Amino acid sequence: TKPDASSPASRAMDAVDDEKKAAFVELQTSLMQTTTQIRTLQQNMAQRDGDVRRAKLVQTELSSMPDDTRTYLALGKAFVMEGKKDVEDLMARTISEKQVELEGLEKSRTYVLKKREECEGQIRELLSSTPDLARAIAAASR
């Protein structure tokens, strides 16, 4: 709800120029976007990490089996018989690919974390340099 024109919050917001308000809203939006990006990157990293762990587990289990063991790969709703060596090769490729993807995701996450820290610093700087804006935001959030 918007405060009425006679309230202290409304008077405080009127005292802050539109440029500072727009800058704050833009920074706040950027902060929310980077936070969402970080969450998405972390979910993707967890997925890739799970894929690597599963492939390593399959490799471990296969290593203890004889070479003539029948192995099957899931293909949609069906299972296809593959040689043990083919499955081991597939798991090795999967591990390698997922680890490369993880490295890329980690680099992206590091970049977005720095971007978020910069945004937080800019918000702090804006609020400390514009006490009226800080007061107006505090009053509006009550």
Side-chain angles (χ1 to χ4, degrees):
T1 64
K2 186 175 181 178
D4 64 44
S6 62
S7 74
S10 176
R11 286 192 302 272
M13 282 303 276
D14 290 341
V16 178
D17 69 44
D18 290 336
E19 189 176 308
K20 298 282 185 181
K21 286 184 218 176
F24 177 76
V25 169
E26 184 179 323
L27 287 170
Q28 190 177 36
T29 301
S30 178
L31 182 63
M32 287 187 290
Q33 288 173 343
T34 56
T35 301
T36 301
Q37 287 175 336
I38 290 167
R39 220 175 285 126
T40 301
L41 286 166
Q42 288 172 332
Q43 289 171 346
N44 289 340
M45 289 172 71
Q47 176 68 40
R48 300 311 183 283
D49 188 51
D51 293 344
V52 168
R53 281 187 280 123
R54 258 187 305 285
K56 285 182 178 180
L57 177 62
V58 170
Q59 272 186 329
T60 302
E61 292 299 319
L62 284 176
S63 68
S64 66
M65 296 179 180
D67 288 338
D68 62 345
T69 301
R70 291 184 180 175
T71 56
Y72 296 87
L73 289 176
L75 185 64
K77 293 183 179 183
F79 291 93
V80 179
M81 189 166 76
E82 289 285 337
K84 178 184 170 193
K85 178 73 173 132
D86 293 335
V87 175
E88 288 174 328
D89 291 345
L90 176 63
M91 293 302 112
R93 278 194 317 274
T94 299
I95 290 168
S96 176
E97 291 169 1
K98 299 300 178 180
Q99 285 176 333
V100 168
E101 290 176 21
L102 272 168
E103 290 170 8
L105 289 169
E106 181 58 36
K107 286 179 185 175
S108 295
R109 188 177 79 90
T110 301
Y111 171 76
V112 176
L113 280 170
K114 286 179 184 175
K115 189 175 167 184
R116 183 177 73 177
E117 288 172 10
E118 289 173 7
C119 189
E120 289 171 343
Q122 290 173 346
I123 288 174
R124 276 192 293 278
E125 184 179 315
L126 178 64
L127 292 176
S128 67
S129 70
T130 316
D132 289 341
L133 178 62
R135 280 192 293 278
I137 292 168
S141 65
R142 287 186 212 152

